[in-house]
Structures are given as structure tokens and as C-alpha cells.
Amino acid sequence: MAFPARLLLAFCGASLVLASPVRDSGSTFAGATSTAVFPPPGATDTDVNTFFPDAEQVGHAGPTPTGDEAWVLQTAPVAPLREDVYPLISPVEAQQIVKKPSFDPVRSWGNLSPWFSVGDVFGLPDASPAVPSGCELTQVHLLHRHGARYPTSGSGPSSFATKLHAAATSTKGFSASGPLEFLNTWTYKLGAELLTPFGRQQLFDLGIAFRVKYGHLLKGFTDLPVFRTTSEARMVDSALHFAAGFFGVQQYQSQYHELITIEDDGFNNTLAPWTNCPNANNAIEDIGYIAAANWTETYLKKTVPRLQKYIKGLELDASDVQAMQDLCAYETVALGYSVFCDLFTEEEWKGYEYAFDLSLWYSFGPGNPATAAQGIGYVQELVARLTETPLTEFATSLNETLDNNNVTFPLNQPIFVDATHDTVISTILVALNFTSMAANGPLPVDHIPKHQTYTGQHLVPFASNLVGQVMSCPVGKKSQDKKSFIRFLLNDGVVPLTGISHCAADKNGLCPTEDFIKGMKERIAEVDYSYDCFANYTAPWPDPIIDGRMHK
């Protein structure tokens, strides 16, 4: 029986109490005690537990090599401090804009950046992640990425370490001086694939934040929630840390069901859709990597000789130097600090960031002809959840065994939470037709455009979170009638829905839910999953695609 993994679409929800009009006298409920009980009585039925095997039973964990321990108070020039109270609102800072330096390298690491609130970067300056006045949340859908991890197996950082060690153990050896002097005694301390301690914290904090933001929606459950993740070790760890933050460390194992779907070849999975899409695993996928590699040679053209003069016995190339930039990001999120970060200028960091943008755009974003097809399975699941209508057709990445079962794919939850990867979130953003993100595409491959609308650190950083907020709002300013609306926040930034049929421009990013559903049904119909994933075609170059589809 196919037991595939599916897309992490975590939509957490919480209903907020609307502001009451001013009264001359106290309400009858003033001073009363308000309580909530979760899980709801009778919801702890263990008869369905066999549908939710644990990670050891599911298997398919992927590589799990560990790294060395962090020692940041010994290795860093300063001690880490925490000055915010997120997700709480400080009375002192409630109306103040936090001042940040004009440039922060951490926010130029593309999909290796830790997530942060992106503000109005998607083009709605008057919108806020807070629920619009007069509206009340009724449901949330959360799709989140795993937390910060070690590099993938065999990637640039470990390759650079291997090259350096080979030079160190050769007959001539190597010597480094100046800013590279630390390489003389540097050792590689990173594992592969697994979450780092900071990555675990990210998901625990994300879970706490979602409880604070959307916990009121738990009152709408009549049974235990079902959240989903895939079987890779870092995915399971991310989902469990989120749950521990959301439900509580002592409570989470008994307060929800975690559906661990298999992430491996041969298993349908909306949270890992590339496994059954051949054109996501061949030369069509490679166009982004090629574009990024060519750009790396351009932006590091002067950097390689600048650093080469400080090391003898080892010839550096652009891939080595980019690996050093990778090491800055990976060592920071794994060990707390990295001396590699000090080697590069602001311009070099911006070039590094754009390499991620190119890779994402052309391999997993609007510029790749197979991305909408990969993300469309999640869109089908979203429509099923919004309409509470069982799925009946399974010709995409949907898993019929799981999606056709109301135990493993319930449709009536106030809160949905799914965990997935950065590249999957990017395909889903394309499938959802969030066209504002592709406004300045196709991306040029030889320079950074001035008004960049597609940036990895805003879209898919570590612990990236896409939240669909469903809410009841007045149909007009003076009307007492209400109807259902939906909008999306990506890393706290409100996303315009104007690329979706039937959704008009709205300063708060709102679209009537029934119109959004119509638009999504049209989008599902126009995406040719079979052709885009399985047909024998060559991706065009230069690549004019901006909607993730191969137009015949």
C-alpha cells in the first residue's frame, strides 16, 4: 500500500475577540472567569492510533550524520543576548519601529537565513498581519518549512573542507595568513541534513507563537487535530518541536495526531512532490543551478584573487569561495558564530543572495516549467479543506490512500498544520499564482535587478511559514452582513491575491473565500500535471516562463 508523505501546509487558526463599542455601564460578564479545555472531552480515542505510526515505524529518515558541539561563549567575540519578547507585545515597544542596521548579512543568506517578519515587502504597505478591524478569524492553514539544518550531504562546505584537508596532508601542505590565518587550525564541525539546536528552537518558538496567535481556534475542535509532516529526520524533528511549543512538552504527545508521510521515491506526497515528477529530477530542474553557478563566477570574479593572496598551497576557485560564504551561514546556525562571515563585503553578500534567487526562480519557482505541477497537489488539498469536500481525483502528487481517508485527511479542522521543505513551499507559491512575487521576472542572469520582487530570504528562509487566514468580515463599511474572506501571510507579510481569478485588489489582501475557491479551481484545471511532469521537452533558454508551466 502506498504510504506517501504530503505537503506541509500548516494553517493554524485562532479567532480573536472583536473590539467592543464604548459602554456607559459594565457588561454583565465583566470580571467573569473565562476558561478553555483542550483536548475536548471524548477526543482522546486511541482506536485510530494505528493510522499514525511513529517515525521509527515509518522509516525513510534519510541521512542523519551528526556534527560537533557548539561552544559559542568560547569561540565568538561577544555573548548572544535576547532583547525581544516575541511573540508577545512589549508595552514599551508596541508603537515603536525597531531600528536595524542598514545592512545585515544574515538577511542575505537566501534560503539559509533564519525567518523574520518581512513587513510590506510583497507590496501591501497598508496591510498588517493583525486581523482587519471588524473581522473575526474562523480557520487557519499553516504551511511551514523545517528549522535551520546542517548542509545537505556532499554539498559545498564539506567539499571545501575535504579539499583543504587534502592540501594539509599533502607533501607540501598549505599556509594561510591575514584574514585566512584561522584556516591553519580550522576543522569542519558540521553534520549533514539534521536540525541544528537553533533549528529546533525555531520550530519550538514557532509553535508557541502559533498558540499565542491562534490558540482560541482550538475551541472549535471536537476531536484531536491531525498535523502532517514527512519522514525525513529533520522534518519529523521540526514537526515534533512545533507541537511541543504549541501544545506543551508534557501534553503534546496526547493532544494531537502527527501523520508522518513517506518522503522517498515511488511515494505520492504533496509535501515532497518531486519524488514522482521526473521533470523535477533531470536537466529541466538543473537550469536554476546552472544560472546560479554562472552568476557565482561573475560576482566572485574579484573576490577569488583577493583571498587567494592569503593562502599558499591551495588554489581557490569561485566554488570554494562561495562554500566559505555557505560556511558563514551554516556555522552560524549550527555553532552560533563563524569567522568566515568577516571575509566578505556587503556587495559580495548581495551577490551571494542573488545566486540563491536565481537557483530558486529557475529550478523551483516561477521560471521552471514543472513547478506549478509540483505544487498543485497542495492546492487541491487546500480547496478540499476550504470546501469540506472529499477529494475524488488523484492524478497529481496526491496520495489516494491518505487523502481519501477522513481519519488521515480530516476536512473540518479549525487549524491545519503541514511541514515541508523550502523548494516545496516555492512550488506551492507558484501553484497558488501569487504573481506579485514574480513581478520583475524573468530574472536576469548577469546582474541584480534594481527592484527585486523574488528573494529567497523573504520567501523560504529556515522555518518559513505561510499562513492562510479565513475570517468573517463585513461585506461593506456600513453593513452588518458578513461573509467569509481569505488572505495569506508569508513570514508575516500580507500577500496580494490579484493574480488569482475573481480576486480583486484589496489593501488588506482579502479575497472572498468563494471567489478564491473559484480561482483555485480554474488554476487546478489549467495546470497540466501529466505533461509538465512527464512529457519529453526541453526547457527554453533564455527562459521567459513566469508562471511555472510549460506552455505547449
Side-chain angles (χ1 to χ4, degrees):
M1 154 176 109
F3 188 63
R6 28 185 90 113
L7 294 191
L8 92 77
L9 138 286
F11 295 95
C12 273
S15 55
L16 302 184
V17 178
L18 302 180
S20 300
V22 177
R23 299 176 58 105
D24 293 330
S25 59
S27 300
T28 57
F29 55 80
T33 299
S34 175
T35 62
V37 177
F38 189 86
T44 55
D45 180 11
T46 59
D47 291 343
V48 299
N49 285 355
T50 56
F51 288 92
F52 305 98
D54 62 24
E56 184 177 355
Q57 293 170 301
V58 173
H60 301 269
T64 57
T66 59
D68 203 352
E69 294 293 344
W71 200 14
V72 70
L73 291 180
Q74 180 71 39
T75 59
V78 295
L81 302 174
R82 181 157 193 174
E83 298 179 352
D84 66 78
V85 292
Y86 178 84
L88 312 181
I89 304 298
S90 165
V92 176
E93 298 178 352
Q95 303 300 325
Q96 296 179 356
I97 298 175
V98 179
K99 293 183 179 180
K100 297 290 184 181
S102 58
F103 177 75
D104 183 355
V106 174
R107 296 189 177 180
S108 290
W109 293 347
N111 61 338
L112 304 184
S113 293
W115 94 273
F116 58 94
S117 299
V118 300
D120 62 359
V121 70
F122 301 122
L124 291 177
D126 297 325
S128 164
V131 176
S133 177
C135 298
E136 183 175 5
L137 275 170
T138 58
Q139 188 180 62
V140 289
H141 303 253
L142 169 66
L143 178 68
H144 69 84
R145 187 189 177 194
H146 58 74
R149 57 162 172 78
Y150 291 125
T152 51
S153 301
S155 59
S158 61
S159 297
F160 173 74
T162 299
K163 181 175 179 177
L164 185 71
H165 186 61
T169 55
S170 67
T171 54
K172 294 184 178 179
F174 82 92
S175 62
S177 61
L180 296 184
E181 184 178 6
F182 71 93
L183 288 177
N184 292 323
T185 56
W186 174 78
T187 57
Y188 186 69
K189 298 179 176 64
L190 304 177
E193 315 280 353
L194 298 175
L195 288 188
T196 68
F198 171 69
R200 298 197 296 269
Q201 177 195 344
Q202 282 187 293
L203 267 297
F204 186 79
D205 288 351
L206 189 65
I208 292 172
F210 267 82
R211 185 64 176 258
V212 172
K213 294 176 180 179
Y214 301 115
H216 191 69
L217 288 181
L218 287 170
K219 296 180 179 180
F221 279 90
T222 58
D223 207 339
L224 294 185
V226 174
F227 295 170
R228 302 187 304 174
T229 189
T230 77
S231 61
E232 277 203 341
R234 66 179 178 271
M235 298 305 308
V236 174
D237 284 345
S238 292
L240 295 182
H241 278 86
F242 177 92
F246 189 79
F247 294 107
V249 173
Q250 294 191 64
Q251 297 84 12
Y252 80 95
Q253 291 183 333
S254 62
Q255 292 198 351
Y256 85 120
H257 296 297
E258 188 71 60
L259 181 64
I260 303 173
T261 59
I262 296 175
E263 179 180 334
D264 214 335
D265 294 343
F267 292 89
N268 275 25
N269 188 342
T270 56
L271 299 178
W274 70 85
T275 59
N276 272 356
C277 179
N279 287 337
N281 299 280
N282 58 22
I284 293 172
E285 182 204 17
D286 290 342
I287 58 176
Y289 299 127
I290 295 170
N294 290 338
W295 167 248
T296 298
E297 296 287 344
T298 299
Y299 85 85
L300 291 177
K301 185 177 181 179
K302 296 180 180 179
T303 313
V304 174
R306 175 173 68 80
L307 294 178
Q308 183 66 69
K309 64 184 180 182
Y310 297 111
I311 190 166
K312 296 180 180 179
L314 180 71
E315 185 175 349
L316 299 175
D317 57 28
S319 63
D320 296 326
V321 175
Q322 188 181 55
M324 292 184 190
Q325 291 183 288
D326 291 340
L327 282 160
C328 162
Y330 281 119
E331 286 191 341
T332 299
V333 300
L335 307 174
Y337 171 74
S338 176
V339 68
F340 283 98
C341 298
D342 296 331
L343 298 177
F344 302 99
T345 66
E346 178 178 337
E347 182 180 0
E348 289 161 347
W349 281 121
K350 290 179 178 178
Y352 178 75
E353 168 197 319
Y354 193 60
F356 280 112
D357 299 341
L358 288 171
S359 179
L360 198 64
W361 174 279
Y362 288 110
S363 284
F364 310 103
N368 188 281
T371 51
Q374 292 176 68
I376 208 65
Y378 168 80
V379 176
Q380 291 175 281
E381 292 177 333
L382 174 60
V383 170
R385 287 166 164 173
L386 289 171
T387 61
E388 297 191 22
T389 303
L391 291 158
T392 57
E393 296 184 9
F394 302 91
T396 62
S397 58
L398 294 170
N399 181 279
E400 185 172 1
T401 302
L402 299 176
D403 283 351
N404 199 26
N405 186 325
N406 61 7
V407 174
T408 52
F409 189 68
L411 299 172
N412 60 346
Q413 296 187 162
I415 300 172
F416 292 96
V417 178
D418 296 305
T420 189
H421 300 274
D422 54 345
T423 55
V424 179
I425 293 176
S426 64
T427 67
I428 290 171
L429 298 176
V430 175
L432 286 166
N433 218 23
F434 290 167
T435 56
S436 64
M437 299 173 184
N440 73 330
L443 297 189
V445 296
D446 58 352
H447 68 279
I448 303 174
K450 288 185 178 180
H451 303 291
Q452 171 70 312
T453 62
Y454 192 84
T455 49
Q457 69 271 24
H458 294 142
L459 304 179
V460 290
F462 285 132
S464 179
N465 48 98
L466 175 67
V467 182
Q469 295 180 327
V470 183
M471 59 189 78
S472 176
C473 301
V475 295
K477 290 184 178 180
K478 298 182 179 180
S479 175
Q480 297 298 312
D481 296 330
K482 290 189 172 185
K483 69 177 181 179
S484 179
F485 288 81
I486 190 171
R487 70 172 185 170
F488 287 84
L489 312 180
L490 181 57
N491 300 317
D492 287 343
V494 183
V495 180
L497 302 183
T498 49
I500 299 168
S501 295
H502 311 289
C503 289
D506 183 90
K507 68 176 184 178
N508 291 311
L510 294 168
C511 178
T513 304
E514 61 181 359
D515 291 339
F516 174 82
I517 291 169
K518 289 179 185 176
M520 287 299 98
K521 288 182 176 179
E522 292 178 12
R523 180 64 167 163
I524 291 167
E526 75 179 11
V527 173
D528 190 337
Y529 179 85
S530 178
Y531 184 85
D532 290 353
C533 273
F534 292 91
N536 183 14
Y537 59 82
T538 301
W541 196 263
D543 181 354
I545 298 171
I546 58 172
D547 65 350
R549 298 168 53 213
M550 186 63 188
H551 297 271
K552 304 174 188 176

